[in-house]
Amino acid sequence: MARLSLLTLSLLAASASASTANAQRPGGPQRPPSAPNPQGLPVSLAPEYVRTSAPTDPNIVTLFEEGMQRSQAPRFAQALLDSIGPRLTGSPNMNRGQDWLLATYKQLGVRARKEQYGTWNSWKRGAAFAQLTAPRVKPLEVTMLSWSGNTAGKWVDGAVVTLEPYRTPDEFKAWLPSVKGKVVLASAPRLSCRMAQQVAEFATPATAAALDSAQRDLTATYQGLTQRVSTFYADLKAAGAVAVFESNWSQYPGVDKIFGSPRNSALPTFDIGCEDYGMLFRLAQNKQGPQVRLMAESEFLGEQPVFNVIAEIKGSKKPDEYVILSAHFDSWEGHSGATDNATGTVTMLEALRLLKSVLPNPSRTILVGHWSGEEQGLNGSGAFAADHPEVVKGLQFAFNQDNGTGRIVSTGPSILPENGPRLAQYMAQMPSQLTQYIRLGGPSGIGGGSDHASFLCYGAPAASLGALSWDYSNSTWHTNRDSYDKVVLDDLKHNATLTAMFAYLASEDPQPSSRTLMTPLPNGPNGQPITIPSCGKPQRESTGYRR
């Protein structure tokens, strides 16, 4: 493809912000506040499961009082996020976090254990820095990607070059000799790191269209180039490259997605902030001699055992029937893994604390599954379900939470339609302060994005507790801004209290939940009937992992 010069493209980006017709100067008129998200408002024409009177079940009343007035969720969240931090699968920090869970449950008088489900490539993060040294000096905004290689504790220097777009492995091999001693920019830059809302508000239609078209072409040129050759990073290292710089912008200034893969282990691999990455790309493309100095510390510990943490309150009447509170404990490492998924973790931890104080002898066994390896493919929960057919067989309900810090506003029976009225019956016994926000959906497909799917695929009852997004997808999901301050503590208390009530009512329900599949299966968004995926085989070691 013919490539526009970055000078031309940067002029397009600059013109997108040049309009001053509606500029808001200090002291001038301010934008009105955004309207509340409709999903965050109480359900209009409140359904029957939203009570019009106070609850009558004394355990529900006590759970509400304890959960909303004496919640320990903020304390748990602060300790986990600020002191433990991110929890990469197989890492020493994951082990620290799991030990913290065990110690916390012990303090609560709850039995908890670690269950090994496999092994994983263990990697320990160290310090990482980079700065531009020519044609001027500037520190760079960098985050080392998970499983990145290191510089053996030394500062190293290299000239910056852009990855030459290639179509075939042979073209890639022909380009490789040019990377010796170089730092390779391997992804497309953003032409503007302004938010799309600003472009829409201030740019002329012509400018906005030109900028969008140019960005699409540039992104398409570099899309997938690091994946097209399976040995990409190893080949760069063998050819003498110093490091790989990438950038994965998350639509807002200062916010980047931070991932990683064992494939990165060959070379130091950094995510560079949007503005700094664009600057490096322009300097390299315009042959202005960019040089960087960098240092990366990391430690490879080899294939190590990986575990789930399982907490348990044994059932007094039906110990072989189960209620599972489900949330994955692992995270990526952009910041602290707050809304993905420490909030789900703390919801379940606090819910069990509430249950222990109010219902120390439940009828059914209540388990909390703090899963590892969710980010690598639901491996921890999938392994637990495969290893414990007796739990799957005796499952009354699993309640999973995994999409951020907001109030729970949706749930449903998924592929087991007869459980919809059952969930409504449970909510009808709860305070309206909790249920007035919840949209109870009808039957639907499973969806494979979180750990409830590990049970639904067996036809076992599991419900996803969907939350208000708080702009989850762009702001916090897998980003370098997923930190404690993003946790909405009132919503966290709300969710833990609601979840404890679901678990209590499911545990004490005199009737078993339904396993009758919906017939016929409905059509999906593409108009084709949905299918129930097979449970598959969870990946229990990192060998061959290429995500």
Side-chain angles (χ1 to χ4, degrees):
M1 143 191 133
R3 297 200 303 175
L4 293 171
S5 77
L6 281 192
L7 177 60
T8 301
L9 298 180
S10 63
L11 289 173
L12 284 172
S15 64
S17 60
S19 170
T20 58
N22 295 313
Q24 297 189 10
R25 297 176 176 84
Q30 299 299 306
R31 295 184 183 89
S34 299
N37 187 295
Q39 283 192 317
L41 299 175
V43 180
S44 59
L45 301 175
E48 291 184 359
Y49 58 76
V50 178
R51 296 182 64 89
T52 57
S53 60
T56 57
D57 185 325
N59 285 332
I60 291 290
V61 173
T62 305
L63 284 170
F64 187 74
E65 180 182 317
E66 178 69 20
M68 300 305 289
Q69 296 183 18
R70 292 181 289 278
S71 175
Q72 297 300 303
R75 178 173 69 87
F76 294 151
Q78 188 278 326
L80 176 58
L81 290 167
D82 290 342
S83 184
I84 303 297
R87 303 157 304 280
L88 183 70
T89 296
S91 68
N93 222 42
M94 169 62 105
N95 294 335
R96 284 184 64 230
Q98 292 180 327
D99 290 344
W100 174 83
L101 275 176
L102 295 177
T104 302
Y105 277 119
K106 184 176 181 180
Q107 291 173 354
L108 298 177
V110 173
R111 293 173 53 192
R113 63 188 184 272
K114 292 171 73 171
E115 284 192 3
Q116 184 178 350
Y117 67 88
T119 63
W120 208 256
N121 187 334
S122 184
W123 180 82
K124 183 178 180 180
R125 174 178 294 276
F129 305 96
Q131 65 178 24
L132 180 71
T133 57
R136 61 187 177 100
V137 175
K138 182 190 182 302
L140 299 175
E141 184 180 4
V142 304
T143 303
M144 182 168 56
L145 298 186
S146 300
W147 291 288
S148 167
N150 59 64
T151 62
K154 300 176 182 178
W155 287 91
V156 296
D157 296 272
V160 178
V161 297
T162 61
L163 172 62
E164 185 68 29
Y166 63 93
R167 292 167 295 182
T168 67
D170 286 341
E171 289 182 0
F172 175 66
K173 290 178 182 178
W175 168 79
L176 274 176
S178 67
V179 305
K180 186 174 182 179
K182 306 295 194 339
V183 173
V184 178
L185 305 179
S187 53
R190 295 291 307 179
L191 302 177
S192 173
C193 300
R194 289 188 179 276
M195 295 182 293
Q197 295 95 314
Q198 290 183 355
V199 176
E201 182 176 359
F202 295 113
T204 66
T207 294
L211 179 60
D212 179 69
S213 176
Q215 184 66 65
R216 287 177 182 273
D217 287 346
L218 188 59
T219 299
T221 299
Y222 286 87
Q223 188 72 37
L225 290 183
T226 63
Q227 305 291 322
R228 197 168 293 172
V229 173
S230 62
T231 54
F232 178 84
Y233 298 93
D235 290 347
L236 286 178
K237 181 177 182 178
V242 170
V244 173
F245 285 179
E246 303 175 9
S247 189
N248 192 352
W249 191 56
S250 192
Q251 305 302 315
Y252 294 160
V255 185
D256 274 25
K257 304 288 188 194
I258 307 296
F259 293 98
S261 169
R263 285 168 20 99
N264 296 335
S265 61
L267 278 171
T269 310
F270 290 179
D271 179 90
I272 309 297
C274 184
E275 291 84 358
D276 284 349
Y277 190 86
M279 173 190 66
L280 292 172
F281 203 100
R282 292 188 297 272
L283 289 170
Q285 190 183 64
N286 289 296
K287 297 180 171 53
Q288 292 167 351
Q291 299 271 339
V292 297
R293 176 170 295 168
L294 61 96
M295 187 273 286
E297 295 177 342
S298 63
E299 187 175 353
F300 294 91
L301 304 174
E303 200 81 2
Q304 297 289 331
V306 285
F307 306 87
N308 295 314
V309 170
I310 309 298
E312 177 179 4
I313 302 177
K314 195 72 173 177
S316 59
K317 297 178 182 177
K318 301 176 181 179
D320 296 329
E321 297 184 22
Y322 299 87
V323 176
I324 294 179
L325 304 183
S326 168
H328 74 89
F329 191 59
D330 64 304
S331 76
W332 288 107
E333 295 189 299
H335 203 287
S336 300
T339 67
D340 189 21
N341 185 33
T343 45
T345 294
V346 171
T347 290
M348 303 310 165
L349 170 61
E350 168 69 357
L352 202 62
R353 184 192 73 83
L354 298 175
L355 290 164
K356 178 66 174 177
S357 66
V358 175
L359 193 71
N361 299 297
S363 294
R364 293 179 172 89
T365 296
I366 299 176
L367 301 177
V368 177
H370 296 287
W371 315 119
S372 174
E374 190 269 354
E375 299 293 359
Q376 287 70 48
L378 312 187
N379 291 332
S381 60
F384 178 87
D387 294 343
H388 292 279
E390 77 285 359
V391 174
V392 174
K393 180 181 179 181
L395 188 61
Q396 174 73 359
F397 250 114
F399 298 98
N400 185 71
Q401 212 285 310
D402 179 25
N403 69 320
T405 188
R407 292 189 307 279
I408 291 169
V409 293
S410 65
T411 191
S414 187
I415 58 175
L416 305 171
E418 293 177 4
N419 287 330
R422 186 179 305 272
L423 291 169
Q425 290 170 10
Y426 294 166
M427 287 190 288
Q429 300 177 63
M430 301 178 189
S432 61
Q433 293 97 316
L434 302 179
T435 58
Q436 64 181 324
Y437 300 105
I438 298 178
R439 279 76 173 165
L440 179 61
S444 65
I446 289 178
S450 193
D451 294 294
H452 57 289
S454 294
F455 302 97
L456 280 170
C457 65
Y458 288 101
S464 175
L465 303 176
L468 281 174
S469 78
W470 281 82
D471 198 40
Y472 174 69
S473 295
N474 292 329
S475 295
T476 59
W477 179 70
H478 300 168
T479 76
N480 55 343
R481 298 293 182 258
D482 196 14
S483 49
Y484 173 81
D485 62 287
K486 305 306 187 302
V487 177
V488 182
L489 296 177
D490 285 345
D491 287 356
L492 192 58
K493 297 174 188 178
H494 172 116
N495 292 351
T497 305
L498 175 72
T499 301
M501 291 179 186
F502 269 128
Y504 158 61
L505 293 165
S507 168
E508 305 309 300
D509 192 336
Q511 299 298 321
S513 56
S514 172
R515 299 201 175 203
T516 302
L517 294 173
M518 55 182 167
T519 304
L521 294 173
N523 292 338
N526 59 3
Q528 299 299 312
I530 67 169
T531 60
I532 299 174
S534 65
C535 291
K537 186 177 181 180
Q539 191 162 352
R540 296 179 185 262
E541 60 179 20
S542 61
T543 303
Y545 177 74
R546 287 292 178 266
R547 288 182 62 181

